[in-house]
Amino acid sequence: MAYDEFLADRIRQQLKEKHVIFTELKMMGGLCFKVDNKMLCGIHIDKKFGDSLLMARVGEEAYAHEINHTHCLPMDFTGRPMRGYIFVTPEGFDAEVDLSRYLDLCLAFNPLAKASKKKK
């Protein structure tokens, strides 16, 4: 099962409308969007949930608020939740305005985020 291409196109379109320069990286069956060489958001296929989820890097402050929404889940595909990251179920990004809100949260945190260390 591949990630949701329609969701990927929606993210691309919204980032272009927001005049954001981004790159894409396919990884582990999903797709990651990067801004300034830092992960912004992505699409993850959750076998347990059975659908593509929006993976959002929102930071710890926004995480504390967003995790209380019924359509948000801790990002825990490694077995333990990653701080500052959430999964959003399809109900949470079905409408364009909702997807835009999550992308705005990701973009607001991106300047504060640290880039991954480059592998040698």
Side-chain angles (χ1 to χ4, degrees), residues 20-40:
V20 175
I21 298 169
F22 64 93
T23 58
E24 298 178 25
L25 179 65
K26 291 182 180 181
M27 51 193 308
M28 299 175 280
L31 182 64
C32 177
F33 291 87
K34 296 173 79 173
V35 172
D36 293 331
N37 220 20
K38 298 177 274 189
M39 184 204 159
L40 180 75

Side-chain angles (χ1 to χ4, degrees), residues 84-110:
Y85 292 82
I86 56 173
F87 281 142
V88 184
T89 63
E91 296 80 25
F93 58 79
D94 221 12
E96 292 304 313
V97 67
D98 295 328
L99 178 60
S100 180
R101 189 178 81 74
Y102 281 106
L103 292 177
D104 287 343
L105 285 172
C106 294
L107 288 165
F109 177 70
N110 189 262

Side-chain angles (χ1 to χ4, degrees), residues 2-12 26 31 43 52:
Y3 61 85
D4 184 340
E5 276 291 343
F6 180 66
L7 175 57
D9 287 339
R10 289 176 60 208
I11 293 170
R12 287 181 194 108
K26 291 182 180 181
L31 182 64
I43 304 170
S52 289

Side-chain angles (χ1 to χ4, degrees), residues 34 37-39 57 85 114-119:
K34 296 173 79 173
N37 220 20
K38 298 177 274 189
M39 184 204 159
R57 187 179 191 185
Y85 292 82
K114 293 182 181 171
S116 298
K117 294 179 183 174
K118 297 202 180 217
K119 295 180 181 178

